[in-house]
Every structure is written in C-alpha cells, then in structure tokens.
Amino acid sequence: MAYSSGHTGHPSRRSMILGGAAIGATAVTALSSCTEAPAEGGADGGLEWDEASGGYVMEEEVATGKAPLTLWVEYEEYGDAIVTAFQDVHPDVKIDVEIVAKVDAGERMALDGEAGSGADVFTLQYDQLSSAIDAGTAAPIGQYEDALTERSGPVFAAAVSREGAMHGVPIATESIALFYNRTLLKSLTGSEEPATTWEEITDLAASYNDSAANTWTIRFLAGEMYYAYPVLSSLGWRLYPDGDLEDPQLDSSELTAGLEYFASLRDIWDVNSADATYDSVENEFAKGETPYVITGPWAFGDFDPAAESLGFEYGVTTLPTAADGSTALSLAGLSVAVVSGYTPYPAAARVLADFMASDAGAEALYSSIGAVPALTPELSSSIKGLADDEHAQGVLAQSQNSDLVEEIPAYMYTVGNALVAQVWDGILEVGDAQSQAQTDYQNLSSLGE
C-alpha cells in the first residue's frame, strides 16, 4: 500500500483490495496475554467513558506503561508512524508492533487470540470482518461510533457495521479510477479535461487507435471482474444486493445488459484478456502515449517518475459511465482497524483503534506509506499534503462511488473472472456465459472454494 508520490516502498499491486500475495509475518515483539473472549456488557462492555475527552479511560497497566498493547499492521513504516503519533498524545503507553499481512490477520487471530498470543488491535480488509465477528475476534467499537461515522462518512461506516454496531474502524481506502494523460489529451483534443462516458472515449479511439502500432486510447485488465464491475454496475447490476451469498444475481437482465455493453468495448481495446496485463496497461501508460488507463494508486510509484522524466502531466478522476447508464461503482477496498475480542485491555485497544482514524492517525498513514485515509472528502483536506495531492483525491472521489459488498468469497472472483473473460474473448455468447457462471458458482460454493 506504500504507493503515493514522494513515499517509499512498493507493495504487491492490489494487495489491499483482493488480498494479493501473503506477506510473511515477522514476529518482532512480545504479545498480549489473553485466553478467552470477554463477555460484552452492552455496547461497550461496561467500560468507563470520559465525556470530557470523548474517549474511553485506559486500563491502568497500559496507561502507565506496565503492559504494552500489541498492534498488527501490514507495513513497518506505518506501524512506526502510528506508534510515534500515538505516543505524542499518550507518552507512557507502550505499543509493540508486529508485521502481519491483512490477508493473514483474520485466520491468525482466530488461533492466536484464543491461545493468548494475539494482537489487541489488528488490521483487516472490511470483507473479512464478518468472519472475524463470527470467530469472536472482532469486538464492537462502542461509543466511538458516532464520531467515526461523521469522519468516515456513511458509506464506509456501513461497511464495518454488522447488526447495528460498528466492529471496525475505517482506516484506508483504495479503488481503481480513471487515470488520464493531460498532456496527451491536450494535444489530441485541445482540452485537458477527461472523458466522463465510454462514448467519449470511443470517439477518440476512432482516430487514435492503431492496432498495428499497439496504440490504444484506453487500457485495462479486461479479464477481471474487478475491472469490469464499474461497467456492469453502470448498467444496473449489483453483486449480492441483498447480502445473500447464495444469489449473486448471475442470471439478472441487468448483468446481461452490462456484459453486452462490456463486450462492445473490445472495439476500442482489441486485445485478448490474457494479453491485458500489468505490463500492457500500466507500463504502456508510463511511456506517455496512452490517453487513459484504469488502474489504482499502486501505479503512482511507476507513473510519477515516468511523468517527470518524460515531461507529461497526468490526472486521476472517477470512472466513466455508459451514456445511458448511472454512476460507475467500483469494488473499492477498505482497510479497517479491529479491536480484538480477546484483548485483556478493551478500553486501551479501543482508544488506539479510534486514534488510527484521527487526523494524527490519518497523517501518519498518508505520510508513511502514501495510502488514502478513509475520510470524507471534506475532512481529507485537513491532512497535511493530502489536500494538494490531486491523484489521491481522485482515488478518494471514486472510493465514494464504491460498492462495498459485505463479503465476496474467493470463488466469486474465480467465477466472475471467467465470466467476463469468456465474454470479452468471444468464447461464449453473453447468455451462455451467464448460464455457465451460474453452474460454476453453484459447484464452487458447495465446495466452499
């Protein structure tokens, strides 16, 4: 997630959204002592709340530094920055940081929490939260709910809420968006303004595309549901609209319309799905000869030096819609801080988790690894450097147009990727591809794969 201009590090692309490659967990500190999940006494377990400070009163052992809190995060730079910022406010509190990939944290906590060797606060992807709640490893946030909802906005707050209670703190958001080469667009169209519809992109492609020269107006990973979803959602399809994992709406007429429209885009990006790769998308945009690509903030680390070296400017904006469609929704990622249901320090853990979403916590996140804090656009302007980072603001704008599905099983991506690839490559007609997807989904879901 360390990807923004001016920041170091470059993690696996899309590691935040889809889990990516697991990052090895390196134990670096002593761990909390806990053996069983505490019973919740009401919304906040009967913990003492200080109205004056608007926070919980930390347990004395933690407040005086006799017992450390353990924090699991994915990136060392972020962990160090959070500890420094938190100790500026609470200088006596000790925090031990362990590097654990979000994709691994849920399963590890299910084992380590009960064994007494888990974290007090850990980070997850939001779509793993339901499993963490079921396992007893995610506790409610308690009286911080209202303030956190105001800071993160209703979309992100709803994504971490289950049965009327917030069980996670929105920390960082990530989404694909439309990246555009301002300099090239100016020379081609006379305007730096990006397209807002696919029809506008198609019009430019009529004069700019040259398949023999591998020149394309727009590039994206055409064989992945994640990249097709904004097109499909613009035509009215929603994945699990009722939260029912048994019914992903693969037979819906809205999906049919969306897939037919998606297939028509082959005319402007005429490559097989297997050839639409990171190299053929991001690396080609970095050469300065592609007006548009659909990608995410992991590409900043490649695009920024390329733009500076080659002398072009680029921007980031919301994804294009179909001319007769609605807003293009993306399957955005949301990284959340979770208070362990096993922590022996539930008050102090909640104080730390809440701090991670504060202005100081958001600044630590952005300054250390360049991630986009999960704040409302209005509040993001208060974070040093973020208000002036138009690229990050473009990602945040698209994140506000996101479909934060509560849970997406891995087999849905398997089925969804096959579906869009078969349609894109012309292997199956849309209706036949949908029927095949339904059969595959039923088979894989019954196996839990």
Side-chain angles (χ1 to χ4, degrees):
M1 200 167 63
Y3 35 58
S4 186
S5 174
H7 301 290
T8 60
H10 190 65
S12 299
R13 53 189 289 269
R14 293 191 301 138
S15 61
M16 179 175 170
I17 298 174
L18 302 182
I23 300 174
T26 304
V28 295
T29 60
L31 299 174
S32 299
S33 173
C34 45
T35 57
E36 61 181 41
E40 290 293 336
D44 55 9
L47 303 175
E48 182 180 354
W49 179 264
D50 180 28
E51 291 290 349
S53 65
Y56 287 107
V57 177
M58 289 189 283
E59 292 81 4
E60 184 178 357
E61 306 98 300
V62 176
T64 59
K66 294 179 180 178
L69 291 174
T70 296
L71 172 66
W72 287 0
V73 294
E74 193 162 35
Y75 299 105
E76 182 178 359
E77 300 92 336
Y78 176 46
D80 291 344
I82 278 291
V83 170
T84 298
F86 189 80
Q87 289 178 338
D88 284 344
V89 182
H90 305 284
D92 295 328
V93 176
K94 296 179 180 178
I95 302 175
D96 292 335
V97 176
E98 183 176 353
I99 307 307
V100 179
K102 290 190 292 291
V103 70
D104 295 330
E107 291 187 4
R108 275 198 59 182
M109 274 301 302
L111 298 173
D112 293 359
E114 188 170 3
S117 57
D120 299 292
V121 177
F122 59 102
T123 55
L124 277 181
Q125 274 293 62
Y126 81 97
D127 58 359
Q128 297 175 306
L129 195 54
S130 292
S131 296
I133 294 170
D134 292 342
T137 56
I141 296 304
Q143 294 192 51
Y144 288 119
E145 283 195 11
D146 290 345
L148 287 170
T149 299
E150 184 176 344
R151 291 184 59 76
S152 63
V155 173
F156 293 152
V160 297
S161 297
R162 302 291 186 273
E163 298 182 358
M166 289 180 70
H167 283 73
V169 176
I171 298 300
T173 184
E174 181 176 85
S175 174
I176 54 173
L178 183 65
F179 287 56
Y180 59 100
N181 185 321
R182 278 201 178 97
T183 306
L184 182 56
L185 281 179
K186 178 71 172 179
S187 68
L188 294 175
T189 69
S191 172
E192 296 181 352
E193 292 301 310
T196 59
T197 67
W198 281 102
E199 283 71 16
E200 293 173 77
I201 296 173
T202 298
D203 288 344
L204 178 58
S207 59
Y208 187 70
N209 280 6
D210 183 348
S211 59
N214 193 31
T215 300
W216 304 102
T217 302
I218 190 166
R219 298 169 182 264
F220 55 93
L221 301 187
E224 296 190 16
M225 180 185 71
Y226 177 66
Y227 287 83
Y229 192 78
V231 176
L232 306 179
S233 65
S234 180
L235 273 297
W237 185 62
R238 298 291 185 275
L239 181 60
Y240 305 124
D242 302 317
D244 182 2
L245 296 186
E246 294 185 3
D247 185 15
Q249 302 286 306
L250 291 172
D251 60 346
S252 74
S253 59
E254 291 84 2
L255 180 57
T256 303
L259 287 170
E260 289 174 346
Y261 189 92
F262 181 71
S264 75
L265 299 178
R266 177 72 186 246
D267 292 341
I268 60 173
W269 172 219
D270 192 12
V271 300
N272 289 330
S273 60
D275 295 323
T277 63
Y278 187 89
D279 286 346
S280 67
V281 177
E282 279 86 349
N283 288 357
E284 288 299 318
F285 185 81
K287 295 178 181 178
E289 298 175 357
T290 301
Y292 298 103
V293 292
I294 295 175
T295 186
W298 50 83
F300 290 163
D302 292 330
F303 292 172
D304 289 347
E308 182 176 358
S309 174
L310 298 176
F312 69 86
E313 295 183 0
Y314 75 94
V316 183
T317 188
T318 52
L319 292 162
T321 67
D324 57 352
S326 58
T327 300
L329 304 180
S330 55
L331 292 173
L334 183 64
S335 185
V336 301
V338 180
V339 172
S340 170
Y342 291 96
T343 177
Y345 310 114
R350 284 169 170 81
V351 172
L352 174 57
D354 175 71
F355 179 85
M356 293 170 74
S358 68
D359 280 359
E363 186 171 327
L365 174 78
Y366 178 71
S367 64
S368 63
I369 60 173
V372 180
L375 301 173
T376 63
E378 295 77 16
L379 288 177
S380 69
S381 62
S382 66
I383 306 306
K384 183 179 179 181
L386 183 57
D388 298 324
D389 187 341
E390 63 172 309
H391 298 155
Q393 290 293 335
V395 171
L396 182 58
Q398 180 58 48
S399 294
Q400 298 295 322
N401 294 339
S402 59
D403 199 354
L404 290 165
V405 181
E406 184 173 306
E407 183 178 0
I408 304 177
Y411 53 80
M412 181 64 240
Y413 282 108
T414 300
V415 172
N417 290 349
L419 171 63
V420 299
Q422 288 170 337
V423 169
W424 184 265
D425 293 335
I427 296 173
L428 292 176
E429 296 295 326
V430 168
D432 293 334
Q434 286 181 262
S435 296
Q436 182 65 54
Q438 285 181 273
T439 300
D440 291 344
Y441 186 87
Q442 291 169 358
N443 291 337
L444 290 177
S445 62
S446 66
L447 297 173
E449 298 178 356

